[in-house]
Amino acid sequence: MDSWIWWLLLAVALGIPLVVTAMPEFAMFAVGAGAAALTAGLGGGVVPQFLVFVGVSAALLVFVRPIAYRQLKKGPGYRTGVEALTGATAVVQETVDGGEGGRIKLNGEIWSARALHPGSVFEPGQQVDVVEIQGATALVV
């Protein structure tokens, strides 16, 4: 069997743990094996094939891996859940103060609310900003 077939089999074999573990390093080694298969197909000897495999794999690990991990750790560019409510504007439904609290309408839902500063009082109809969510209570200013 030609050596380029062995390199392609290695590339496919490296793709299996990539799918199972979702580790991008296996993809980089698989691309290196594919480059070595191309080298073998073009008539390169065993040493150039191995050097291409090591060189391409190492280059991908050094240059592409950090970029891939940064993109994975960045996460989505939008906030969801409670984080999305922080900074939103709400309308007071029942008088809100720092002690007993009250009710606000936030994103179409009625929430219990409490003033962030104990001396503050907000009357119905006023607009307030949500500073933080503590459990099911919004702290507003």
Side-chain angles (χ1 to χ4, degrees):
M1 200 173 341
D2 291 334
S3 60
W4 66 271
I5 294 174
W6 287 108
W7 284 111
L8 285 180
L9 289 174
L10 178 63
V12 170
L14 287 168
I16 293 170
L18 167 67
V19 171
V20 172
T21 64
M23 291 179 58
E25 290 83 0
F26 286 110
M28 295 171 198
F29 287 122
V31 170
L38 181 64
T39 302
L42 293 174
V46 174
V47 172
Q49 292 171 31
F50 183 74
L51 291 175
V52 166
F53 170 71
V54 171
V56 169
S57 298
L60 288 172
L61 285 172
V62 169
F63 296 111
V64 175
R65 183 177 180 267
I67 296 168
Y69 274 102
R70 261 195 312 267
Q71 292 299 318
L72 285 174
K73 290 184 189 231
K74 187 179 358 177
Y78 54 90
R79 299 181 310 169
T80 60
V82 174
E83 292 86 22
L85 298 176
T86 303
T89 301
V91 177
V92 176
Q93 299 295 304
E94 295 175 11
T95 303
V96 175
D97 58 21
E100 294 294 316
R103 301 260 184 248
I104 59 171
K105 189 166 192 172
L106 176 62
N107 286 350
E109 298 177 344
I110 302 297
W111 280 72
S112 60
R114 191 174 69 239
L116 179 65
H117 307 294
S120 300
V121 176
F122 302 102
E123 297 300 327
Q126 272 187 290
Q127 286 194 344
V128 292
D129 293 323
V130 177
V131 176
E132 183 181 348
I133 303 289
Q134 289 182 343
T137 302
L139 296 180
V140 298
V141 291

